[in-house]
C-alpha cells in the first residue's frame, strides 16, 4: 500500500507533526499540468539518498510460481510449488504468479477502464476525494496528508467485502454517478476474482509454513479488503522524484498487476532492483499484517515505484485485509520456542490501519513502532 516512509530516526511525535500543518492545504497535484513542468515543486523532490539511480537498475530474476500446477492435484507439482514459494518469500518477500486462472479479458478491461476515471478533469475526480485519515477515495498525490516527499501519482481506492456482491458497484454509482456504473461492475468482478485468488495463494503459503493448507484461507475467507488503481503520470525530471516511496504494505497480501511500462523496484541484496513486467502474471508480495500473523516467518517486501519522462504507468493492486473483528494472532506452531517470541501483540486490522493513516508513514519499521504505540495505548488505559 503506497504510504511513503520518513527516516527511521524520527520520533513518533515528529512523524505525526509532519502530517499536520496548514501548508498541506495549499498544494494540488494536477497531473494534466505537472506532467509538462520542467521545474517540479520542491514538495515532490526526494532527498538525494532516496532518489532513483540515474542509470538503469539491475533487473531481478523474479521467481515465477505456476498456480495451476499447484492446484492440479499432482503431488510432485504441489511440492515443487511449495518449495519455490518458500524460497521466494525467504529471499525476496515477493514472487510472480502465472497460470492463475483469472480471465485475461477481465484483467485488460480493468486496466483500460482506469482511463475513464483518471482522464477526467481534476474537479470531477475530486468528487471521490479521499478524506484525511481514511483509506478509500481519490488522492491526488498525498497533498492532503504530507508536506514533503510527495509521490508523483494519483490513486483511487475502494473497499471490497468478500460476501458483498454489490459494494464496489454501489461505491462507483453513489460517489461518481450513473455514468460510472459500468466501471463499478468491472471492478466488482475484478475485486471478487482477486479475493478468490488470494485464498488459493494462501493455501500455498500455509503449506510453505508447515501450518497446513486451510489455516490461512479460513482466516481470510471473510476478508474486508481494498482495491487501488494507480496512475503515475510522466515527469520531466524523473530523477528527482518517486512515484511511490520506499515502503512495506501494512496490509496482508498484495496482488499487483502492472502494465508494460514498468517502474516497480524491490530492495534485495542491499540495492534496488527492477521488476520487469511479465505478461499474464500477477506480482504477489507479503504485507505487515501477514508478517504479524505468521510471527515473522513471512517477511514484508520493501518496494517502491519510479516514474519516467515520456509514458504514464498504470497498475492495479488488491490489498487483502482480514475481517475487521478478526484478531491477528499467530498460530501456536509459529510461536513454539523461547527463541521465537511474539513479534507484536494481538491486534485487529483497523488498529494498524489507524496507525498508518493517522500517525506513521509506513516503512520497514512499521510493526516495531506499531507495537510501541499499542503498548503506550495499553499503558495509558490502565493509569
Amino acid at each position: 500500500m503506497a504510504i511513503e516512509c520518513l527516516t527511521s530516526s524520527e520520533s513518533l511525535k515528529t512523524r505525526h507533526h509532519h502530517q499536520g500543518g496548514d501548508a498541506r492545504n495549499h498544494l494540488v497535484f494536477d497531473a494534466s499540468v505537472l506532467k509538462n513542468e520542467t521545474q517540479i515543486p520542491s514538495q515532490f523532490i526526494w532527498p538525494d539518498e532516496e532518489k532513483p539511480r540515474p542509470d538503469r537498475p539491475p533487473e531481478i530474476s523474479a521467481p515465477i510460481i505456476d498456480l495451476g500446477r499447484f492446484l492440479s492435484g499432482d503431488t510432485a507439482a504441489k511440492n515443487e510449488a511449495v518449495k519455490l514459494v518458500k524460497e521466494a518469500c525467504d529471499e525476496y518477500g515477493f514472487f510472480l504468479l502465472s497460470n492463475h486462472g483469472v480471465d485475461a479479458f477481465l484483467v485488460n478491461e480493468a486496466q483500460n477502464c482506469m482511463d475513464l476515471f483518471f482522464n477526467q478533469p481534476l474537479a470531477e475526480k475530486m468528487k471521490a476525494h479521499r478524506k484525511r485519515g481514511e483509506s478509500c477515495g481519490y488522492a491526488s498525490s498525498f497533498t492532503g496528508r504530507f508536506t514533503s516527499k510527495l509521490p508523483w501519482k494519483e490513486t483511487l481506492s475502494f473497499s471490497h467485502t468478500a460476501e458483498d456482491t454489490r459494494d464496489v458497484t454501489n461505491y462507483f454509482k453513489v460517489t461518481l454517478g450513473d455514468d460510472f456504473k459500468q466501471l463499478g461492475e468491472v471492478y466488482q468482478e475484478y475485486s471478487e476474482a482477486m479475493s478468490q485468488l488470494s485464498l488459493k495463494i494462501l493455501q500455498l503459503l500455509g503449506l510453505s509454513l508447515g501450518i497446513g493448507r486451510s489455516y490461512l484461507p479460513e482466516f481470510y475467507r471473510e476478508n474486508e479488503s481494498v482495491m487501488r488503481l494507480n496512475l503515475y503520470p510522466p515527469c520531466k525530471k524523473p530523477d528527482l522524484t518517486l512515484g511511490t516511496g520506499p515502503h512495506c504494505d501494512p496490509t496482508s497480501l498484495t496482488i499487483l498487476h502492472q502494465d508494460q511500462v514498468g517502474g516497480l523496484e524491490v530492495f534485495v541484496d542491499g540495492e534496488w532492483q527492477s521488476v520487469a513486467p511479465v505478461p499474464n502474471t500477477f506480482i504477489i508480495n507479503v504485507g505487515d499484517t501477514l508478517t504479524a500473523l505468521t510471527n515473522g516467518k513471512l517477511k514484508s517486501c520493501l518496494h517502491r515505484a519510479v516514474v519516467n519522462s515520456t509514458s504514464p504507468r498504470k497498475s492495479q493492486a488488491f490489498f487483502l485485509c482480514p475481517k475487521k473483528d478478526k484478531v491477528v494472532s499467530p498460530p501456536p506452531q509459529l510461536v513454539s520456542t523461547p527463541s521465537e517470541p511474539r513479534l507484536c501483540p494481538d491486534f485487529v486490522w483497523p488498529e494498524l490501519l489507524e496507525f498508518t493513516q493517522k500517525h506513521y508513514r509506513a516503512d520497514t519499521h512499521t510493526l516495531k513502532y506499531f507495537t510501541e504505540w499499542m503498548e503506550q495505548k495499553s499503558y495509558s488505559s490502565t493509569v
Side-chain angles (χ1 to χ4, degrees):
M1 187 175 281
I3 308 168
E4 289 67 40
C5 64
L6 297 174
T7 59
S8 59
S9 61
E10 290 179 296
S11 68
L12 194 60
K13 181 178 179 181
T14 304
R15 292 169 190 271
H16 185 73
H17 175 73
H18 274 257
Q19 299 183 70
D22 294 333
R24 68 175 184 268
N25 297 318
H26 300 308
L27 182 67
V28 174
F29 181 82
D30 188 342
S32 65
V33 175
L34 287 175
K35 68 181 181 180
N36 299 314
E37 290 291 326
T38 56
Q39 298 294 323
I40 68 174
S42 60
Q43 293 93 333
F44 294 94
I45 298 176
W46 285 65
D48 289 343
E49 66 273 14
E50 295 184 87
K51 288 174 184 171
R53 52 189 293 171
D55 58 329
R56 187 178 179 87
E59 188 175 301
I60 194 168
S61 180
I64 302 178
I65 311 298
D66 187 324
L67 184 65
R69 281 179 55 77
F70 166 71
L71 297 172
S72 68
D74 182 274
T75 301
K78 180 197 75 173
N79 292 340
E80 177 67 11
V82 170
K83 174 178 173 291
L84 288 175
V85 83
K86 178 172 174 51
E87 291 173 352
C89 289
D90 287 347
E91 187 169 357
Y92 305 113
F94 86 102
F95 55 92
L96 270 59
L97 194 72
S98 67
N99 198 10
H100 44 69
V102 180
D103 188 274
F105 178 81
L106 174 61
V107 176
N108 291 332
E109 189 177 22
Q111 192 83 14
N112 294 332
C113 280
M114 290 173 61
D115 293 338
L116 297 176
F117 176 79
F118 286 117
N119 287 348
Q120 295 183 105
L122 180 62
E124 292 299 310
K125 290 181 283 191
M126 289 298 286
K127 290 179 179 178
H129 177 60
R130 175 176 168 178
K131 295 181 176 60
R132 180 166 163 76
E134 296 183 355
S135 59
C136 292
Y138 169 71
S140 58
S141 184
F142 285 130
T143 56
R145 291 186 62 202
F146 305 116
T147 58
S148 64
K149 299 202 299 186
L150 294 177
W152 193 267
K153 70 172 181 180
E154 300 176 82
T155 63
L156 178 66
S157 307
F158 43 92
S159 61
H160 170 62
T161 300
E163 297 180 323
D164 192 333
T165 60
R166 298 295 299 170
D167 56 348
V168 177
T169 303
N170 290 337
Y171 171 82
F172 274 82
K173 182 178 179 180
V174 170
T175 307
L176 297 169
D178 289 337
D179 291 343
F180 288 86
K181 180 182 177 182
Q182 181 184 357
L183 263 71
E185 291 174 348
V186 169
Y187 291 121
Q188 180 78 53
E189 185 178 356
Y190 187 86
S191 299
E192 290 172 3
M194 294 299 101
S195 178
Q196 293 166 14
L197 177 59
S198 68
L199 301 183
K200 298 173 183 176
I201 297 168
L202 290 169
Q203 292 181 41
L204 178 56
L205 292 175
L207 287 173
S208 76
L209 293 167
I211 58 174
R213 192 168 188 152
S214 62
Y215 183 90
L216 293 176
E218 285 303 315
F219 186 86
Y220 285 98
R221 192 166 303 280
E222 298 177 308
N223 65 81
E224 299 179 11
S225 299
V226 175
M227 264 296 304
R228 177 167 296 169
L229 312 179
N230 300 301
L231 174 65
Y232 302 89
C235 177
K236 294 296 185 183
K237 296 290 181 65
D239 57 325
L240 298 181
T241 190
L242 287 170
T244 298
H247 70 286
C248 295
D249 295 338
T251 48
S252 295
L253 194 72
T254 303
I255 305 177
L256 178 76
H257 179 266
Q258 61 172 338
D259 63 15
Q260 295 304 301
V261 174
L264 177 65
E265 296 183 353
V266 294
F267 195 74
V268 176
D269 295 332
E271 65 177 343
W272 289 104
Q273 301 185 42
S274 65
V275 182
V278 177
N280 303 315
T281 66
F282 290 113
I283 298 168
I284 314 298
N285 71 265
V286 173
D288 284 338
T289 300
L290 191 54
T291 296
L293 182 61
T294 61
N295 204 39
K297 300 300 184 296
L298 292 175
K299 293 180 173 57
S300 305
C301 171
L302 180 63
H303 57 286
R304 70 182 186 181
V306 299
V307 294
N308 64 76
S309 61
T310 57
S311 301
R313 173 180 179 255
K314 295 185 293 184
S315 68
Q316 47 202 20
F318 178 82
F319 299 107
L320 179 70
C321 308
K323 191 176 180 182
K324 290 182 174 61
D325 62 358
K326 280 277 193 178
V327 177
V328 178
S329 181
Q333 306 96 297
L334 302 182
V335 196
S336 56
T337 69
S339 63
E340 295 178 314
R342 286 289 301 276
L343 184 66
C344 56
D346 290 356
F347 65 91
V348 290
W349 161 240
E351 291 175 310
L352 180 55
L353 179 62
E354 177 192 358
F355 180 68
T356 56
Q357 294 298 309
K358 297 181 180 179
H359 306 292
Y360 190 88
R361 296 181 87 166
D363 59 16
T364 54
H365 304 290
T366 300
L367 286 178
K368 175 179 179 293
Y369 285 106
F370 173 64
T371 296
E372 293 180 3
W373 182 70
M374 290 282 286
E375 290 172 347
Q376 290 172 7
K377 284 181 61 178
S378 177
Y379 175 77
S380 299
S381 67
T382 59
V383 295

